[in-house]
Amino acid sequence: MKSSSTLAITWTRPDPDEEQWEFSKHPAKQGFYHAHNISWTQILSASEEGRLEPYPRSDSINGIRVSLSYHLYDDYLRYVVSAKRGYRLGYTRMEKDLEREGHLVLPAPIVLQCGQEALLFSGYRRLCLAWNHGITPGVWLIQLD
């Protein structure tokens, strides 16, 4: 994946177990799981077959709209900058590390795809970090159909 930035992020395969809160507790995502009858076991199993896909700043990947990806810079300002202090601090820490080191190795954000619908399962801060620094992020695309 090419980037217009002099900074770089190497995306690694994420561990879904580290993101389980997104499945069991995140209120905005429960409707997607229920609408598609998704279980945690399905996510874990399908993750094995997932693949890293480039995700340029957009509301869709491979022509499929990604819910909750909030791709506009104004969205970033609304959701990350105004978020709780701990959430903001995590982003700021990553940003400072990227700017100081010039390169980070991070787990790829996860996108779940069910047919012609997709959801940003995890990694919004990592996605914003890349987008805000001109880096095309990679996401771990998990197909559940």
Side-chain angles (χ1 to χ4, degrees), residues 51-62:
R51 67 185 184 278
L52 197 60
E53 288 282 329
Y55 187 21
R57 192 170 218 150
S58 170
D59 66 347
S60 61
I61 187 168
N62 300 331

Side-chain angles (χ1 to χ4, degrees), residues 101-145:
E101 302 295 327
H103 178 261
L104 291 179
V105 176
L106 296 173
I110 299 173
V111 172
L112 303 179
Q113 181 183 344
C114 290
Q116 293 299 304
E117 292 183 74
L119 170 77
L120 178 64
F121 175 74
S122 67
Y124 183 61
R125 283 180 287 197
R126 290 169 273 166
L127 209 52
C128 286
L129 179 69
W131 284 341
N132 291 344
H133 287 83
I135 299 168
T136 299
V139 296
W140 193 252
L141 184 61
I142 300 174
Q143 294 186 326
L144 295 169
D145 34 36

Side-chain angles (χ1 to χ4, degrees), residues 47-86:
S47 177
E48 296 296 319
E49 302 300 319
R51 67 185 184 278
L52 197 60
E53 288 282 329
Y55 187 21
R57 192 170 218 150
S58 170
D59 66 347
S60 61
I61 187 168
N62 300 331
I64 297 172
R65 189 174 184 293
V66 180
S67 298
L68 304 181
S69 67
Y70 306 118
H71 68 290
L72 300 174
Y73 187 75
D74 286 345
D75 294 333
Y76 157 77
L77 292 175
R78 185 172 28 261
Y79 292 103
V80 175
V81 173
S82 66
K84 292 180 182 176
R85 186 172 187 268

